[in-house]
Amino acid sequence: MKGLAFLLLMAGLWWPGVSLAAPEVVGLRTGEHLGMTRFVLDLSKKVDFRVFTLSNPYRIVIDFPEMDWKIPTETASQEKGLIQSLRYGLFTPGTSRVVLDVAKPVAVKQAFLLTPIGPHGYRFVLDIGETSKEVFVDTSEAAALSAPLQATAPVAPPPVPQGTSKPLIVIDPGHGGVDPGALSRSGLLEKSVTLDVAKALKAELEATGRYRVMLTRERDIYIPLRERVAIARRAGADLFLSLHADSHPNRRTRGASVYTLSEQASDKEAAAMAARENKSDIIAGMDFSGADPVLTNILIDIVQRDSLNSSLNFANLLVQEMGKATRLVQNTRRSAGFAVLKAPDVPSVLVEMGYLSNREEEKLLQDSGHRSRLAAAVTTAVKRFFSERHL
């Protein structure tokens, strides 16, 4: 750190006594103020910000420099005035994002930063009030034109050792960053569970010496659904595993399941879950009005028959092995139109490791021993899959 500080000092980018640490968010609250809904963040230091709105559904998006969030996860569920819910987290490297879901068309009346005074530090303040749908759409479109989406930093695949053709397995920890996924009653986040299990699975697979393994994300950061698919395809993946831990309205429901791609869902629950997961990019405040139509068509319309058959074969093996390590739901192997499974040339499955809404399963998903057993079961299924392919 001393070397970094010296270089920044010489460049005039830092002065002694000024912290190099990322800004911290130490408080978050909403309230009613002068007929408007007010949103406030308590900050450790001064930051820049950018505010814009998105429609379908109505959202307000606030981008900041990368920040550390030192607030309880429960704060994301609060409702006040025009704000229905909110999410926050790392959006892209260097950018943290807050997304406010609003009940109706709103206008940003003012957004400003208060300097420290008395016991209060820096505070970001946003005031919103009702407006017409026409005004909201006009301002949303203007913001989208002036604020193009930032690209996520590409993930580099592991190197191919000389003289070997080890299969490449891409593990996708579901959700992340501003998209937390499911939330248990005790505050356990799906995005944390999936990342922890993904790391354990990566270590288990690499320990066999048979495979190269990469993760779509290595930390708590948001990755768009389309980018997760693109990461696997760019890397030349031989198998794609997306890990999740959903919630269910019936808290008694528990058990793991395995999904493959199908435009016709196997049952109503599979269709509902796919619909929730496919909203991930909307949750994070993404606007795909300028998306590459060629890529979009590939992701939506093309599924090669050979890849789909391979996906089904692996899903069957995975169900057999996971049944030895954890409880399974009835009708374990399911299918639905998951956006994250739409790589046309990579066998892909989505694994629901259990339900965070069930107390017993929530405890299991926090247990390192249970996670190890899950990783071992998936590894055995992978070994069987690639062994059978080479028969």
Side-chain angles (χ1 to χ4, degrees):
M1 181 59 72
K2 289 182 179 179
L4 175 61
F6 176 77
L7 291 174
L8 293 175
L9 177 62
M10 292 298 97
L13 300 177
W14 174 75
W15 295 100
V18 177
S19 173
L20 293 174
E24 294 182 350
V25 182
V26 296
L28 181 158
R29 57 192 179 277
T30 58
E32 296 296 306
H33 179 72
L34 300 177
M36 297 180 290
T37 300
R38 170 162 286 188
F39 172 74
V40 180
L41 291 179
D42 296 310
L43 308 168
S44 64
K45 61 175 64 174
K46 184 178 180 179
V47 296
D48 294 325
F49 61 86
R50 180 172 65 96
V51 181
F52 60 98
T53 56
L54 292 173
S55 55
N56 297 319
Y58 297 122
R59 288 158 288 162
I60 299 174
V61 180
I62 314 160
D63 284 343
F64 298 96
E66 187 168 329
M67 301 193 294
D68 290 333
W69 299 85
K70 305 292 186 180
I71 52 179
T73 56
E74 291 81 2
T75 57
S77 61
Q78 62 180 266
E79 299 181 22
K80 182 74 70 170
L82 295 169
I83 298 176
Q84 291 182 311
S85 62
L86 61 94
R87 293 168 299 280
Y88 51 84
L90 191 59
F91 180 60
T92 59
T95 302
S96 287
R97 170 165 287 189
V98 176
V99 180
L100 306 177
D101 294 312
V102 290
K104 56 187 67 176
V106 299
V108 176
K109 301 299 184 181
Q110 54 183 351
F112 55 93
L113 198 69
L114 290 172
T115 56
I117 181 171
H120 302 289
Y122 285 101
R123 285 156 292 162
F124 168 78
V125 180
L126 175 77
D127 287 333
I128 59 175
E130 293 186 36
T131 189
S132 67
K133 179 179 180 180
E134 291 73 21
V135 171
F136 185 95
V137 171
D138 287 344
T139 56
S140 297
E141 292 176 350
L145 291 173
S146 62
L149 294 176
Q150 295 182 346
T152 304
V155 179
V160 181
Q162 291 186 350
T164 184
S165 56
K166 292 181 178 180
L168 174 61
I169 300 168
V170 174
I171 304 172
D172 174 46
H175 306 279
V178 72
D179 173 23
L183 174 68
S184 76
R185 282 181 287 180
S186 69
L188 181 63
L189 295 173
E190 181 180 1
K191 67 176 182 179
S192 301
V193 173
T194 58
L195 183 57
D196 288 342
V197 176
K199 290 179 177 179
L201 177 56
K202 181 176 186 289
E204 185 86 16
L205 286 166
E206 289 179 334
T208 67
R210 300 183 182 185
Y211 313 106
R212 294 176 297 133
V213 187
M214 64 180 289
L215 306 185
T216 56
R217 64 181 180 96
E218 299 273 359
R219 58 175 176 154
D220 183 17
I221 188 171
Y222 169 76
I223 306 289
L225 295 177
R226 290 164 174 80
E227 178 61 17
R228 295 170 191 262
V229 177
I231 287 170
R233 298 192 69 232
R234 284 198 304 264
D238 297 287
L239 184 63
F240 180 85
L241 306 174
S242 187
L243 303 181
H244 290 261
D246 201 19
S247 61
H248 195 281
N250 183 352
R251 292 179 176 175
R252 294 182 179 179
T253 301
R254 59 177 298 192
S257 53
V258 179
Y259 288 80
T260 55
L261 177 67
S262 172
E263 296 305 329
Q264 297 297 322
S266 57
D267 53 61
K268 290 183 179 180
E269 184 177 336
M273 202 192 86
R276 288 196 300 272
E277 296 296 344
N278 290 347
K279 289 180 179 178
S280 176
D281 292 339
I282 293 176
I283 285 172
M286 297 287 280
D287 176 12
F288 287 101
S289 58
D292 181 350
V294 175
L295 176 60
T296 301
N297 288 336
I298 289 175
L299 294 176
I300 294 176
D301 298 330
I302 303 177
V303 178
Q304 290 183 346
R305 186 176 300 276
D306 182 60
S307 292
L308 182 56
N309 288 337
S310 294
S311 300
L312 293 171
N313 291 338
F314 177 66
N316 289 329
L317 294 172
L318 194 53
V319 168
Q320 294 174 22
E321 297 302 330
M322 289 186 66
K324 303 172 185 178
T326 189
R327 177 182 292 193
L328 303 177
V329 299
Q330 292 182 344
N331 184 26
T332 310
R333 191 183 66 71
R334 300 175 172 183
S335 60
F338 290 95
V340 79
L341 297 182
K342 292 186 177 181
D345 48 0
V346 183
S348 307
V349 300
L350 186 148
V351 181
E352 277 292 339
M353 300 177 290
Y355 290 97
L356 290 178
S357 47
N358 180 276
R359 283 186 174 178
E360 292 180 49
E361 215 142 60
E362 176 194 6
K363 292 178 181 178
L364 282 175
L365 290 170
Q366 294 181 83
D367 179 70
S368 58
H370 180 73
R371 290 173 175 176
S372 296
R373 289 189 291 274
L374 284 177
V378 175
T379 299
T380 300
V382 170
K383 290 178 182 177
R384 292 180 60 189
F385 175 70
F386 284 106
S387 295
E388 292 180 6
R389 293 190 79 181
H390 290 91
L391 290 178

